[in-house]
Amino acid sequence: MDFLMQPWPWWFSGLVLAFIMFSLLLFGNSFGFSANLRTICSIGGAGKTVKFFDFDWKKQTWNLVFLVGSILGGFITSEFLSLESYTPALSENTISDLQELGFSAPNSIQPSELFAFEAIFTLKGFFILAIGGLLVGFGARYAGGCTSGHAISGLSNLQLPSLIAVVGFFIGGLIMTFGIFPLIF
């Protein structure tokens, strides 16, 4: 267990991603998480009324296995492989920048002002999640894929639209961090 609980080297995830990407290329698949929503809607029968959902979803079974594995992996990690109280080691500059944006000094991985269960039931927290979810869904559909699909799979395939999308994602993140967040908090 000590081996699993210790921080792993940064390059390990790169090796795993490279292995996955070569495997996907070998079998003619592409990586993307947002495609699962389309697949789930197709399984539910949405293809009967909307042409976008009318496709052979059985070819995407591998992606659904990836989705279920991600959920199970997250659960196993949080329940059995995480420390009771973990505070990330952040520099003083980062902590002061977060405090300027209205976030308290972190006492966990995610800021409690956004991700605590109680935050969902505040008006501000609900609107942040609802509007953020709509924007992410719209953006993934408009860009033809999600951040993981474009940044990992698209860039690995040297696709120019994925490069443009990834640059757009970073610009959007900068606008949110330095333009919108200071207005909200």
Side-chain angles (χ1 to χ4, degrees):
M1 278 309 265
D2 287 338
F3 173 73
L4 292 176
M5 299 292 283
Q6 298 301 317
W8 291 13
W10 60 268
W11 49 264
F12 182 77
S13 60
L15 288 176
V16 172
L17 283 173
F19 173 75
I20 291 170
M21 289 310 304
F22 283 126
S23 300
L24 289 173
L25 288 171
L26 181 68
F27 293 108
N29 292 320
S30 62
F31 179 78
F33 214 74
S34 61
N36 285 312
L37 179 60
R38 180 180 182 211
T39 305
I40 292 170
C41 289
S42 178
I43 291 170
K48 296 174 185 170
T49 56
V50 179
K51 186 169 175 45
F52 176 71
F53 298 115
D54 186 21
F55 72 102
D56 184 14
W57 62 266
K58 292 178 182 170
K59 291 182 179 177
Q60 290 294 316
T61 304
W62 73 271
N63 214 2
L64 291 174
V65 171
F66 175 70
L67 171 69
V68 171
S70 297
I71 293 169
L72 286 174
F75 174 76
I76 290 169
T77 300
S78 70
E79 292 298 314
F80 305 112
L81 299 175
S82 61
L83 303 172
E84 282 296 318
S85 62
Y86 174 76
T87 304
L90 298 177
S91 72
E92 290 300 320
N93 289 340
T94 302
I95 292 173
S96 67
D97 287 346
L98 288 172
Q99 288 174 342
E100 284 179 27
L101 292 172
F103 295 100
S104 59
N107 56 4
S108 68
I109 297 288
Q110 300 170 339
S112 58
E113 290 85 356
L114 293 177
F115 295 104
F117 192 68
E118 297 81 27
I120 298 171
F121 299 107
T122 65
L123 187 62
K124 181 169 71 171
F126 174 78
F127 278 119
I128 287 173
L129 288 174
I131 293 170
L134 286 172
L135 289 174
V136 167
F138 172 78
R141 178 71 183 113
Y142 185 73
C146 60
T147 53
S148 61
H150 281 297
I152 297 172
S153 190
L155 292 180
S156 296
N157 292 326
L158 303 176
Q159 295 177 1
L160 180 61
S162 290
L163 178 62
I164 294 168
V166 169
V167 169
F169 296 147
F170 275 97
I171 291 171
L174 290 171
I175 290 170
M176 184 65 185
T177 301
F178 296 108
I180 299 173
F181 256 158
L183 295 175
I184 295 174
F185 286 100

